[in-house]
PDB file of all heavy atoms in Angstrom:
ATOM      1  N   LEU R 579     164.574-126.663-152.076  1.00 92.00           N
ATOM      2  CA  LEU R 579     164.314-125.585-152.912  1.00 92.00           C
ATOM      3  C   LEU R 579     163.008-124.936-152.417  1.00 92.00           C
ATOM      4  O   LEU R 579     161.972-125.613-152.313  1.00 92.00           O
ATOM      5  CB  LEU R 579     164.169-126.005-154.332  1.00 92.00           C
ATOM      6  CG  LEU R 579     163.787-124.940-155.357  1.00 92.00           C
ATOM      7  CD1 LEU R 579     164.833-123.904-155.467  1.00 92.00           C
ATOM      8  CD2 LEU R 579     163.526-125.579-156.688  1.00 92.00           C
ATOM      9  N   LYS R 591     152.631-127.190-164.778  1.00 94.00           N
ATOM     10  CA  LYS R 591     153.106-128.393-165.458  1.00 94.00           C
ATOM     11  C   LYS R 591     154.603-128.232-165.851  1.00 94.00           C
ATOM     12  O   LYS R 591     155.384-129.189-165.602  1.00 94.00           O
ATOM     13  CB  LYS R 591     152.257-128.660-166.673  1.00 94.00           C
ATOM     14  CG  LYS R 591     152.609-129.955-167.383  1.00 94.00           C
ATOM     15  CD  LYS R 591     151.671-130.206-168.523  1.00 94.00           C
ATOM     16  CE  LYS R 591     151.976-131.485-169.290  1.00 94.00           C
ATOM     17  NZ  LYS R 591     151.106-131.657-170.442  1.00 94.00           N
ATOM     18  N   GLY R 592     154.903-127.077-166.422  1.00 95.00           N
ATOM     19  CA  GLY R 592     156.316-126.853-166.764  1.00 95.00           C
ATOM     20  C   GLY R 592     157.232-126.841-165.583  1.00 95.00           C
ATOM     21  O   GLY R 592     158.379-127.347-165.603  1.00 95.00           O
ATOM     22  N   LEU R 597     161.379-129.265-162.058  1.00 93.00           N
ATOM     23  CA  LEU R 597     161.734-129.746-160.726  1.00 93.00           C
ATOM     24  C   LEU R 597     162.170-131.208-160.774  1.00 93.00           C
ATOM     25  O   LEU R 597     163.069-131.665-160.096  1.00 93.00           O
ATOM     26  CB  LEU R 597     160.586-129.537-159.735  1.00 93.00           C
ATOM     27  CG  LEU R 597     160.278-128.116-159.328  1.00 93.00           C
ATOM     28  CD1 LEU R 597     158.961-128.061-158.531  1.00 93.00           C
ATOM     29  CD2 LEU R 597     161.410-127.489-158.533  1.00 93.00           C
ATOM     30  N   ILE R 633     153.787-116.117-141.175  1.00 91.00           N
ATOM     31  CA  ILE R 633     153.889-115.453-139.848  1.00 91.00           C
ATOM     32  C   ILE R 633     152.523-114.824-139.463  1.00 91.00           C
ATOM     33  O   ILE R 633     152.140-114.784-138.324  1.00 91.00           O
ATOM     34  CB  ILE R 633     155.044-114.482-139.755  1.00 91.00           C
ATOM     35  CG1 ILE R 633     155.262-113.958-138.316  1.00 91.00           C
ATOM     36  CG2 ILE R 633     154.869-113.300-140.759  1.00 91.00           C
ATOM     37  CD1 ILE R 633     156.530-113.113-138.152  1.00 91.00           C
ATOM     38  N   ASP R 640     147.262-117.938-130.419  1.00 94.00           N
ATOM     39  CA  ASP R 640     146.808-118.477-129.140  1.00 94.00           C
ATOM     40  C   ASP R 640     145.431-117.833-128.693  1.00 94.00           C
ATOM     41  O   ASP R 640     144.697-118.444-127.955  1.00 94.00           O
ATOM     42  CB  ASP R 640     147.817-118.234-127.999  1.00 94.00           C
ATOM     43  CG  ASP R 640     148.217-116.746-127.919  1.00 94.00           C
ATOM     44  OD1 ASP R 640     148.907-116.307-128.866  1.00 94.00           O
ATOM     45  OD2 ASP R 640     147.872-116.068-126.935  1.00 94.00           O
ATOM     46  N   GLY R 651     143.144-127.337-139.869  1.00 92.00           N
ATOM     47  CA  GLY R 651     142.881-127.913-141.179  1.00 92.00           C
ATOM     48  C   GLY R 651     144.093-128.182-141.954  1.00 92.00           C
ATOM     49  O   GLY R 651     144.175-129.166-142.675  1.00 92.00           O
ATOM     50  N   LYS R 658     147.428-136.136-144.192  1.00 94.00           N
ATOM     51  CA  LYS R 658     146.963-136.978-145.306  1.00 94.00           C
ATOM     52  C   LYS R 658     147.867-136.983-146.496  1.00 94.00           C
ATOM     53  O   LYS R 658     147.941-137.956-147.234  1.00 94.00           O
ATOM     54  CB  LYS R 658     145.558-136.428-145.729  1.00 94.00           C
ATOM     55  CG  LYS R 658     144.508-136.624-144.729  1.00 94.00           C
ATOM     56  CD  LYS R 658     144.239-138.159-144.513  1.00 94.00           C
ATOM     57  CE  LYS R 658     143.122-138.419-143.517  1.00 94.00           C
ATOM     58  NZ  LYS R 658     142.992-139.807-143.226  1.00 94.00           N
ATOM     59  N   ALA R 679     149.692-127.623-129.401  1.00 94.00           N
ATOM     60  CA  ALA R 679     148.391-128.177-129.227  1.00 94.00           C
ATOM     61  C   ALA R 679     147.670-128.560-130.538  1.00 94.00           C
ATOM     62  O   ALA R 679     146.894-129.431-130.602  1.00 94.00           O
ATOM     63  CB  ALA R 679     147.455-127.158-128.400  1.00 94.00           C
ATOM     64  N   TYR R 684     157.037-128.507-136.550  1.00 92.00           N
ATOM     65  CA  TYR R 684     158.239-127.759-136.842  1.00 92.00           C
ATOM     66  C   TYR R 684     157.989-126.239-136.710  1.00 92.00           C
ATOM     67  O   TYR R 684     156.884-125.806-137.034  1.00 92.00           O
ATOM     68  CB  TYR R 684     158.801-128.043-138.190  1.00 92.00           C
ATOM     69  CG  TYR R 684     159.094-129.502-138.452  1.00 92.00           C
ATOM     70  CD1 TYR R 684     158.143-130.346-139.095  1.00 92.00           C
ATOM     71  CD2 TYR R 684     160.258-130.093-137.900  1.00 92.00           C
ATOM     72  CE1 TYR R 684     158.386-131.648-139.305  1.00 92.00           C
ATOM     73  CE2 TYR R 684     160.505-131.473-138.080  1.00 92.00           C
ATOM     74  CZ  TYR R 684     159.517-132.236-138.762  1.00 92.00           C
ATOM     75  OH  TYR R 684     159.811-133.583-138.924  1.00 92.00           O
ATOM     76  N   LEU R 689     161.705-116.775-130.762  1.00 89.00           N
ATOM     77  CA  LEU R 689     161.585-117.548-129.482  1.00 89.00           C
ATOM     78  C   LEU R 689     162.540-118.752-129.561  1.00 89.00           C
ATOM     79  O   LEU R 689     163.052-119.132-128.528  1.00 89.00           O
ATOM     80  CB  LEU R 689     160.102-118.017-129.247  1.00 89.00           C
ATOM     81  CG  LEU R 689     159.926-118.821-128.008  1.00 89.00           C
ATOM     82  CD1 LEU R 689     160.090-117.925-126.779  1.00 89.00           C
ATOM     83  CD2 LEU R 689     158.542-119.444-128.005  1.00 89.00           C
ATOM     84  N   ARG R 705     171.161-129.210-131.451  1.00 64.00           N
ATOM     85  CA  ARG R 705     170.079-129.492-130.545  1.00 64.00           C
ATOM     86  C   ARG R 705     169.684-128.205-129.840  1.00 64.00           C
ATOM     87  O   ARG R 705     170.596-127.461-129.427  1.00 64.00           O
ATOM     88  CB  ARG R 705     170.338-130.573-129.559  1.00 64.00           C
ATOM     89  CG  ARG R 705     169.261-130.836-128.594  1.00 64.00           C
ATOM     90  CD  ARG R 705     169.665-131.905-127.606  1.00 64.00           C
ATOM     91  NE  ARG R 705     168.615-131.940-126.539  1.00 64.00           N
ATOM     92  CZ  ARG R 705     168.200-133.019-125.980  1.00 64.00           C
ATOM     93  NH1 ARG R 705     168.667-134.216-126.349  1.00 64.00           N
ATOM     94  NH2 ARG R 705     167.319-132.995-125.072  1.00 64.00           N
ATOM     95  N   ALA R 710     159.675-126.593-121.029  1.00 55.00           N
ATOM     96  CA  ALA R 710     158.477-127.439-121.063  1.00 55.00           C
ATOM     97  C   ALA R 710     157.227-126.557-120.936  1.00 55.00           C
ATOM     98  O   ALA R 710     157.256-125.590-120.202  1.00 55.00           O
ATOM     99  CB  ALA R 710     158.562-128.447-119.921  1.00 55.00           C
TER     100      ALA R 710
END
Side-chain angles (χ1 to χ4, degrees):
L579 175 65
K591 184 177 179 181
L597 289 170
I633 188 173
D640 54 291
K658 293 295 183 184
Y684 303 99
L689 179 69
R705 179 183 169 138

